[in-house]
Amino acid sequence: MAKTFTHHFNTALFNGTVAVNTGLFINGQWLNSLNGDVIVVINPADGETLTEVAAGNAADIDLAVQAAKRAFKTVWGLKTPGHERGRLLCKLADLIEKNHDSIAAIEALDAGKHFNDVRRIDVQNSIYLFRYYAGWADKNHGKTIETSGAKFAYTRHEPIGVVGLISPWNYPLVLACGKLAPALAAGNTVVLKPPEVTPLSALMLAALVKEAGFPDGVVNIVTGYGSTAGQALIAHHDVGKISFTGSTPVGRKIMETSAKTNLKRLTLELGGKNAVIIFDDADLEQALKWTVMGVFGQVCAASSRVFVQEGIYDAFMERFVAAVNSMRLGDGFRADVDQGPVVSQEHLDRVLNYIESGKREGARLVTGGTRAGGSGFFIKPTIFTDVRPEMKIVRDEIFGPVGVVAKFKTEEEAIEFANDTFYGLTGYFFTQDLNRAIRVSNALEVGSVYVNSTLFNAPQVPFGGFKQSGQGKELGEHALETFTQVKAVHINLGVKL
Amino acid sequence: MPSVYTHKFDTPVFKGAVEIPTGIFIDGKWRDGSDGELIDVINPATGKVITQVSAGTKKDVDEAVVAAQRAFDTVWGLNCPGYERGKLLYRLAELLEKHQDEFAAVEALDNGKTFSWAKKADVTMSIGTFRYYAGWADKIQGNTIETSKDKIVYTTHEPLGVVGQIIPWNFPLMMLSWKLGPALAAGNTIILKPSEFTPLTALLAAKLTQEAGFPPGVVNIINGYGSTVGNAISHHMHIEKVAFTGSTIVGRKVLEAAAKTNLKETSLELGGKSPNIIFDDCDIEQAIDWTIHGIFWNHGQACCAGSRIFVHAKIYDKFLALFTERTKEIKVGDPFGNDTYQGPQVSQQQYDRIMEFIDSGKQQGAKVVAGGERWGTEGYFIKPTIFTETKNTMRIVQEEIFGPVGVVIKFDDDEDVVRQANDTVYGLAAAMFTKNIDRALKCSQALRAGTTWINCANQLHPQVPFGGYKQSGIGRELGQYALEHYTAVKAVHINLGHTP
């Protein structure tokens, strides 16, 4: 019943026709939303409308949750053995791999990301994630635990049941896959609400889920707005857990809703205002390259506060500004582009407001600071120096191409600056000294520390913030724990009353 | 140049031609053994020669170790990320699944087990085992360990290097998968000797590893005799570990060789004389069906076979009557026949050995209630055999027969039957049948065996460890536990401030 969006790509990097079903994917079928609501999907590179997709509301979410609940009780959960769940996850990885370029193209189009980056990073990691968790599906071990001869005690690692997944618009496909894979591996059934601003890759994924052979109802994908579909999912009494990636303010609301409803478990991957510290013994060339890569961008892990030791500050800044000034803006399907648009008009306005606040509060604008011409949502990569810790551009997560740079004297000072935030997602620093590498890693109050790189993750290694950057971990073995509940079984063998 | 043997199958359950390389496989290449010797491969259903395959020598093993070490130092080990090692193992599983019928047919031809069992058990489990270990390849994790604030300490679980693997003839392909899976997942390179009695599926598997894309030198397969190739492996100074599955007698020799040479880590999967205890509150129908599976599956050629069957006095007569009746109904015959359950024993040697045990049972005064003699006139077929009225001292009660021969023993004391069950140098497996929760759990705990089966028997899963207590072996295969035997633990201490 639901319509198909067909797009013909004719670009320097990709040619071809890709079709995406725009309905809600519930219980293995494509449906319009019950009240016919739709979301308009915009191309951020030129502001034009691409298509409309169904917008689910509370009633649609309820349908999806009921389908997921039925599937959990009958054909999924521990009724399907782990190795079989793993086999299906592998199959899905294979199908993504087979449709590699089409998915990359749709994602790049929808989110304004660069096609080559999406192919190399987003799609590859999505495949990797499904294969990685396929391997865990039959290895979620409990323990047998000795207490006394009168008891046989063991734990079972059981799936929770129906879980709600809410994925963000900055890495729509891969961050959805990062939730789907461990949730399914552990035996849960799923209702995924993709981001309203960038829903298309999730809809493509839905078609592959069906083709892979997952039983109906195991994976349900309901596009919709956060305030309606998202809220309905978060408040639903039959959903045992929410895994959310997004902003800290919304994360707060989710926690409040959970408290008011069924105390559902939460994994929250929230914001960050991450520091990158460049010590004077760093390999300067490498530090520069990694910083340029990490500082700008709609990434929770962006290294948006740059701290440079005073001895190398001038040398670093000169090269940093030169590198930033040479960045080319453009749409994601041209070869000679370093940065694409921000995702939407709303977000563009938000980022520009932050830039204005920086100017107003007296920071020094070194480069960028304005919208770039044209109808797309482009902002020039922007650097502020002479910043003070209380400035909004230093405290708040901007989530756009804006970096702030400050000088530091000593290691202790750098650590203090870096930790001076209620966020705690990632920390980066550059040094060649072994002891410093370990000391600073120990001292940074963040969930992930990276020495001599930025934004260099691996699916096997857990990721998740300290402090108000979130709760719980994604990736690695840890993610399984968050989608599992532990049941302890005590069998009495000897105590008679 | 080594040849390829093409076998044309034209049977009720499988038709088709399968090409099998007959050389030794070293460093990604096929060749003859260094002294040109050949070994006959016999079809145990007929006693006739199927083909000949190359026999490897000590010199071949030495060359293989050089190639395996080179591969380990350059393109394998931790040079190849776990994710990539896993991908190759998944590919191997896929290819095996694609060719499952061919592998089942060749296994049935070479070993004598039926095509249907080879397909649904051996090949299916092999595929599952490769998939299972593919999943572990990038999940081999060490620990970070708190000691003091002036130190960072962590462990890494590293591959050992070149490992040697010697596998038996009873489940040739399946045993190969149990060995290759964890070894490759952990990043080791391999020298594997199939059994000289049943080399064919190993040779086909070598071809598949090539097709899957394992770099040359990572998997080396050398057919040959235990006294030459096996001996060379167990004595080699640069093979870091040996894994052997076979008889306890030979297992002892492998361990001695390690002791005399480089103290290589040794894991052994040896013999068994596993008890199967049928309590009076069991589901009798189920107990009988599982008991049959326990002793007659694979023609009794299973290390974990439930060969000592203890039946409670209260149900003894009923059990024995039904067990005997169903045993006599077992269809013995052509491995490629439509309804065959049991094919021939694997070789003349094994046939003679089993018949000798059967004679000894008769001579020592035990009673034959089923079988006890040859089946047919050609090939190595033995009728499924049941002895009763045995004494504990009889050879058929004490020693591993490794054939379709079970002994049934009456008991009436729960504690004493556990004592009897444990009264053996072996400790591979044990099965029991009861509906009572206390009895099931307490008895399971009391049995000194590496696997206890409650209300089932001979059930294996890639996820679950398998291995022996006592003289049934050292170490565990399958499950996460197998990985421990293919990794070495390194502790790393980084000092941040201590002075000596």
Side-chain angles (χ1 to χ4, degrees), chain A residues 170-235:
Chain A
N170 58 340
Y171 286 88
L173 178 69
V174 68
L175 293 182
C177 293
K179 296 184 194 300
L180 280 165
L184 293 169
N188 301 282
T189 54
V190 161
V191 177
L192 167 72
K193 190 206 88 63
E196 59 264 29
V197 150
T198 54
L200 298 181
S201 56
L203 295 171
M204 279 196 78
L205 193 65
L208 298 183
V209 161
K210 188 148 172 110
E211 195 183 331
F214 284 86
D216 291 346
V218 171
V219 179
N220 305 279
I221 298 180
V222 179
T223 45
Y225 290 99
S227 54
T228 49
Q231 183 56 29
L233 191 55
I234 293 161

Side-chain angles (χ1 to χ4, degrees), chain A residues 79-156:
Chain A
K79 296 208 162 34
T80 297
H83 67 84
E84 177 61 18
R85 301 196 300 267
R87 197 186 61 81
L88 288 170
L89 287 166
C90 259
K91 190 86 206 296
L92 185 52
D94 290 345
L95 286 171
I96 296 174
E97 196 165 45
K98 188 168 152 208
N99 291 283
H100 206 266
D101 280 9
S102 308
I103 296 182
I106 284 289
E107 182 84 322
L109 180 74
D110 196 5
K113 291 153 78 73
H114 198 272
F115 176 76
N116 285 344
D117 287 346
V118 175
R119 272 176 97 242
R120 193 171 51 87
I121 300 170
D122 302 50
V123 177
Q124 274 305 312
N125 276 304
S126 300
I127 295 164
Y128 206 139
L129 283 161
F130 280 118
R131 287 204 178 120
Y132 177 75
Y133 284 104
W136 273 123
D138 60 352
K139 303 173 178 66
N140 195 359
H141 302 151
K143 293 193 196 301
T144 58
I145 303 162
E146 194 197 346
T147 57
S148 80
K151 190 189 275 275
F152 177 57
Y154 61 94
T155 55
R156 278 170 58 88

Side-chain angles (χ1 to χ4, degrees), chain B residues 235-253:
Chain B
H235 283 86
H236 205 290
M237 292 298 288
H238 298 296
I239 289 181
E240 301 300 326
K241 177 234 164 59
V242 66
F244 169 82
T245 299
S247 69
T248 297
I249 290 177
V250 178
R252 232 181 253 297
K253 288 199 197 137

Side-chain angles (χ1 to χ4, degrees), chain A residues 132 138-139 460 477 493, chain B residues 132 138-139 141 442 463:
Chain A
Y132 177 75
D138 60 352
K139 303 173 178 66
Q460 298 88 352
E477 187 178 357
L493 294 178
Chain B
Y132 178 75
D138 61 352
K139 302 175 178 62
Q141 301 172 159
K442 287 182 181 168
Q463 300 85 359

